[in-house]
Amino acid sequence: MEPRETDIYYMRMALAEAEKGRGFTNPNPMVGAVIVKDGVIISKGYHHRCGEGHAEVEAFRAAGDADVTGATIYVTLEPCSHYGKTPPCADLIVRKQVGRVVVAAMDPNPLVAGRGVEKIRAAGIEVTTGVLEDESIRLNEIFMKYIVDKEPFVLYKSAMSLDGKTAAPNGESQWISCEESRHEVHELRHQYMAIMVGSETVLKDDPMLTCRIPGGKDPIRIVCDSRLRIPLECKLVQTAREIPLIVACSDTASMKKMSALQEAGVQVIPLECEGDHIDLRQLIQQLGTSGIDSILLEGGATLAYSAFESGIVDKVQFYVAPMLIGGSNSRTSLGGSGIAHLADAFGLKDMQVRQSGRDICITAYVRK
């Protein structure tokens, strides 16, 4: 293979390693590393979870007593140059006397932002950057937004029929999507730090909003409930001490109900409201300040439209089932007042389509 092809080959391997940490590294990025010498793979490593060794540390540890002097290390994200919960990886790379470092994407973290590469180059080690950069950035889209904006990355998920309905005219919606698609949704609940719904979803379905895949972690549950209508007896409140629950409400809501929820272990966030609509922009900023880096939005049509209207949604994921429901009053993904002119529609870009069981899964990014 040509040198460029060789770099791509090993970087794809490093990206596959990074993927193994999905859902466990938040708010850290997923990072993978591969050490190669004389065309032979010495070791691989990835960042397992926040607070544990970074990918470079794991790769060198896996190398054991092998001589890595002059080797090439492929890393999906720029090696860190600062002391955090672990020492700088750039220092470790220099100390190991590798001959070359190949980096996919630069780290936008202000504490790194090119300093890691500068430190390695200053030690006389060759550094190549930008190999499969787009793939690395897409892999860490949550981290890339949160580390710069300090606001969570928001994914809106919906399941619908081919004619755009999310429920039958009588409200029945289980199950529009197939089993494979529902499994993917639980994987999303594992990957995203929090899940958000509106009060109508709680009142109608009394959900748990947990992750039901082996080894998966439950997301922080967030309910937008301006008037605090959710009952103290609902499953979310009853399990609030075991699985965190945040309820965002109007600052004019019942103080008695706020106190009762807090006594049950619920974190209540009072916010300014316009009518029954919570200021989602203000909420998202508060959630980001509290350390929440990502939100899976599974709310109903009203909350979903408000989320798009407030500009907090970054990405959409629609599961389209091979069925037709009809009904002029059947629910759709977005409610609200709707846009007045097509020119004002919420634009999407970078759309991708794939099969998910019998369904079609469509993902796209929101044009800001």
Side-chain angles (χ1 to χ4, degrees):
M1 288 187 291
E2 294 294 322
R4 173 69 180 178
E5 292 178 350
T6 300
D7 285 348
I8 290 174
Y9 175 80
Y10 290 121
M11 190 60 77
R12 288 202 189 284
M13 198 174 294
L15 286 167
E17 286 293 304
E19 181 69 40
K20 295 177 181 178
R22 185 177 291 278
F24 294 106
T25 65
N26 311 56
N28 286 359
M30 291 173 277
V31 185
V34 176
I35 299 175
V36 181
K37 186 174 182 179
D38 299 327
V40 177
I41 298 171
I42 295 177
S43 62
K44 306 174 188 176
Y46 70 96
H47 182 39
H48 290 243
R49 61 181 69 242
C50 182
E52 296 185 5
H54 290 185
E56 301 92 325
V57 173
E58 294 298 322
F60 283 121
R61 182 179 295 145
D65 296 330
D67 182 13
V68 297
T69 305
T72 298
I73 181 169
Y74 293 85
V75 189
T76 59
L77 192 67
E78 178 186 8
C80 62
S81 57
H82 65 290
Y83 280 88
K85 293 184 178 179
T86 58
C89 291
D91 291 356
L92 176 62
I93 288 172
V94 171
R95 194 163 63 250
K96 290 292 185 178
Q97 297 181 325
V98 300
R100 182 171 177 245
V101 179
V102 181
V103 176
M106 301 297 281
D107 191 336
N109 185 343
L111 296 174
V112 185
R115 295 182 181 88
V117 164
E118 288 176 6
K119 181 177 287 190
I120 294 167
R121 281 180 172 149
I125 298 172
E126 179 187 351
V127 179
T128 300
T129 62
V131 177
L132 298 185
E133 179 180 22
D134 290 344
E135 287 88 339
S136 178
I137 291 173
R138 186 63 55 87
L139 177 73
N140 280 305
E141 57 194 12
I142 290 173
F143 170 78
M144 294 292 182
K145 178 187 178 183
Y146 182 71
I147 201 66
V148 174
D149 298 338
K150 294 296 183 289
E151 291 185 3
F153 184 95
V154 178
L155 169 67
Y156 171 61
K157 184 279 302 180
S158 182
M160 64 174 65
S161 62
L162 189 58
D163 58 338
K165 308 298 184 180
T166 59
N170 65 358
E172 181 187 350
S173 61
Q174 295 182 339
W175 296 101
I176 288 179
S177 58
C178 67
E179 185 176 349
E180 292 88 345
S181 296
R182 296 197 299 273
H183 180 79
E184 285 191 7
V185 171
H186 282 281
E187 289 182 337
L188 290 173
R189 291 184 180 186
H190 161 70
Q191 296 164 15
Y192 279 69
M193 191 177 287
I195 182 171
M196 181 186 289
V197 298
S199 56
E200 284 291 342
T201 297
V202 180
L203 293 170
K204 174 178 174 291
D205 300 331
D206 192 19
M208 278 286 287
L209 302 179
T210 52
C211 172
R212 294 193 292 274
I213 57 174
K217 62 176 180 57
D218 293 323
I220 298 168
R221 289 90 53 90
I222 303 170
V223 179
C224 294
D225 184 10
S226 60
R227 290 182 285 158
L228 291 183
R229 296 189 299 155
I230 63 169
L232 297 175
E233 298 77 23
C234 73
K235 294 174 184 175
L236 291 178
V237 175
Q238 290 298 308
T239 57
R241 296 195 185 279
E242 292 76 46
I243 307 170
L245 172 64
I246 297 172
V247 174
C249 65
S250 169
D251 54 8
T252 61
S254 165
M255 292 298 295
K256 183 179 179 181
K257 186 68 173 285
M258 284 190 204
S259 298
L261 288 170
Q262 290 169 335
E263 288 174 7
V266 179
Q267 179 186 350
V268 179
I269 301 180
L271 297 165
E272 294 180 4
C273 288
E274 185 175 331
D276 286 339
H277 297 294
I278 286 172
D279 186 338
L280 293 178
R281 171 55 58 190
Q282 185 181 359
L283 173 60
I284 217 76
Q285 290 170 349
Q286 288 203 27
L287 294 173
T289 301
S290 68
I292 294 177
D293 71 349
S294 52
I295 295 173
L296 174 61
L297 178 61
E298 286 196 28
T302 301
L303 176 61
Y305 184 81
S306 295
F308 280 94
E309 195 173 37
S310 64
I312 69 168
V313 182
D314 297 288
K315 185 179 181 181
V316 299
Q317 188 152 318
F318 284 87
Y319 292 94
V320 183
M323 63 173 72
L324 301 171
I325 293 176
S328 58
N329 295 322
S330 297
R331 294 202 302 264
T332 59
S333 292
L334 298 187
S337 58
I339 54 101
H341 305 284
L342 290 181
D344 300 325
F346 307 113
L348 302 175
K349 62 181 181 179
D350 301 335
M351 189 169 70
Q352 295 184 345
V353 181
R354 61 178 172 81
Q355 197 85 27
S356 174
R358 71 179 187 191
D359 302 337
I360 296 296
C361 179
I362 302 172
T363 58
Y365 293 85
V366 178
R367 292 185 182 276
K368 297 293 185 178

